[in-house]
Amino acid sequence: MKRMWKSGILAALLILSLVLSACGQDKDKDSGKAADQKEFHYAMSGLYKPFNFKDDGKLKGFDVEIGEALAKKMGMKPVAVTNPWETLIQGLQAKKFDAIIGSMTITEERLKSVNFTEPYYRSGAQIFVAENNNDITGPGDLKGKKIGVVKASTYKELALKNTDKANIVEYDSDITALMDLPTGRLDAVITDQMVGLPIIKEGAIKIKDVGEPMTHDDQGIAVRKDDHEMLKQLNKALDEIIKDGTYEEISKKWFGRNILGE
């Protein structure tokens, strides 16, 4: 009887040892899976509030959260990075990152250098002036006026159509340009609707929008010309976050409405 009792204990200890060993293997397997998770590096200027900006050293904004949602769908770890706007495409081509999620307008010129996903939001170029400026009501009033635009942006081209080159002031940030409107340093700023409208709502800078949008722009996620797999994955992930409501949730958080448009 005593021998049988000892045998039972030994058998139980053996089973327990096997169970613990299996659990340890599963834990190691899970740890390995997390460690092996591929990173999705996506770039932006970090100077385009509320789309992408730094707050206490951390990148935040609509573009940042869209990138996180897309990475989750692709089973990848999101890594948002900043790069000067004027060299974003060069950085992408040099493989410094996998994609640009930085509110980049899809244009024929840019399509010569990169491929774009389906639009991840739609917007338009808008004229903004100081709240007390009643002289400018639309593009027809811009002749001879000092206009602020962001460097290497499509807004500079619009400004050139409505005033002389000498009257155009280029900025690193749309926000900095808009801040110069109440001071009188600029007469107008041409930038994206989605940049100026939240500022008007907040009331932090005393500005207003005038006239109808000057353009209709589709914003896409840029990838390298030869990276067909990334383009396919991003389009699939984008479609999924739109269909499951994730996109609308992020959009409403930052703009109070869905900015995907038609």
Side-chain angles (χ1 to χ4, degrees):
M1 180 67 73
K2 192 173 182 180
R3 187 177 296 173
M4 289 176 64
W5 180 72
K6 286 182 177 179
S7 298
I9 290 176
L10 288 172
L13 289 172
L14 179 61
I15 292 170
L16 179 61
S17 175
L18 290 171
V19 169
L20 291 173
S21 175
C23 289
Q25 288 176 359
D26 288 341
K27 187 175 180 180
D28 290 341
K29 192 180 294 182
D30 290 340
S31 297
K33 189 182 291 182
D36 293 339
Q37 188 178 32
K38 188 176 179 182
E39 292 182 339
F40 172 54
H41 294 256
Y42 57 106
M44 57 203 66
S45 70
L47 299 169
Y48 200 49
K49 192 175 182 178
F51 289 95
N52 55 82
F53 62 100
K54 285 189 176 181
D55 184 15
D56 290 331
K58 185 179 179 181
L59 266 174
K60 294 182 179 181
F62 175 80
D63 289 335
V64 177
E65 293 190 16
I66 288 294
E68 290 171 349
L70 294 174
K72 185 177 180 180
K73 291 292 184 183
M74 295 189 293
M76 300 171 76
K77 180 182 177 181
V79 181
V81 299
T82 59
N83 189 94
W85 171 263
E86 54 268 31
T87 58
L88 271 171
I89 289 179
Q90 292 94 313
L92 177 65
Q93 292 171 330
K95 298 186 178 181
K96 290 182 178 179
F97 30 83
D98 303 306
I100 299 169
I101 308 182
S103 298
M104 186 169 279
T105 304
I106 301 171
T107 66
E108 291 300 322
E109 187 62 32
R110 286 175 178 151
L111 281 167
K112 294 175 184 177
S113 305
V114 297
N115 281 332
F116 283 99
T117 62
E118 292 298 313
Y120 79 105
Y121 78 88
R122 295 179 171 89
S123 60
Q126 183 70 53
I127 300 170
F128 293 93
V129 299
E131 196 174 58
N132 60 359
N133 185 333
N134 297 314
D135 298 328
I136 299 174
T137 59
D141 300 320
L142 293 177
K143 189 67 177 176
K145 303 296 184 182
K146 192 169 285 188
I147 304 172
V149 296
V150 168
K151 292 177 182 176
S153 70
T154 53
Y155 308 122
K156 182 178 179 180
E157 297 168 19
L158 288 172
L160 284 170
K161 290 179 180 178
N162 292 281
T163 194
D164 300 323
K165 186 177 180 180
N167 289 322
I168 298 174
V169 183
E170 296 186 68
Y171 288 78
D172 290 323
S173 164
D174 303 76
I175 308 302
T176 306
L178 291 169
M179 289 174 67
D180 274 351
L181 286 173
T183 67
R185 293 192 187 99
L186 295 174
D187 297 305
V189 169
I190 300 176
T191 189
D192 195 279
Q193 280 180 299
M194 303 303 170
V195 174
L197 296 183
I199 290 174
I200 293 173
K201 185 179 179 182
E202 291 169 6
I205 305 173
K206 302 301 180 183
I207 59 172
K208 63 182 179 182
D209 57 313
V210 294
E212 294 296 318
M214 300 171 75
T215 62
H216 172 88
D217 300 322
D218 289 336
Q219 316 297 326
I221 300 168
V223 299
R224 288 184 290 278
K225 276 287 188 183
D226 60 352
D227 200 347
H228 305 295
E229 183 59 31
M230 179 56 70
L231 182 65
K232 181 181 177 181
Q233 287 185 63
L234 282 169
N235 271 323
K236 182 175 182 293
L238 179 59
D239 185 58
E240 288 175 358
I241 67 169
I242 290 170
K243 287 179 177 176
D244 70 13
T246 303
Y247 179 92
E248 185 161 4
E249 183 180 339
I250 295 170
S251 183
K252 285 187 174 180
K253 173 183 175 179
W254 291 100
F255 301 98
R257 66 181 180 89
N258 191 320
I259 62 171
L260 185 60
E262 296 298 326

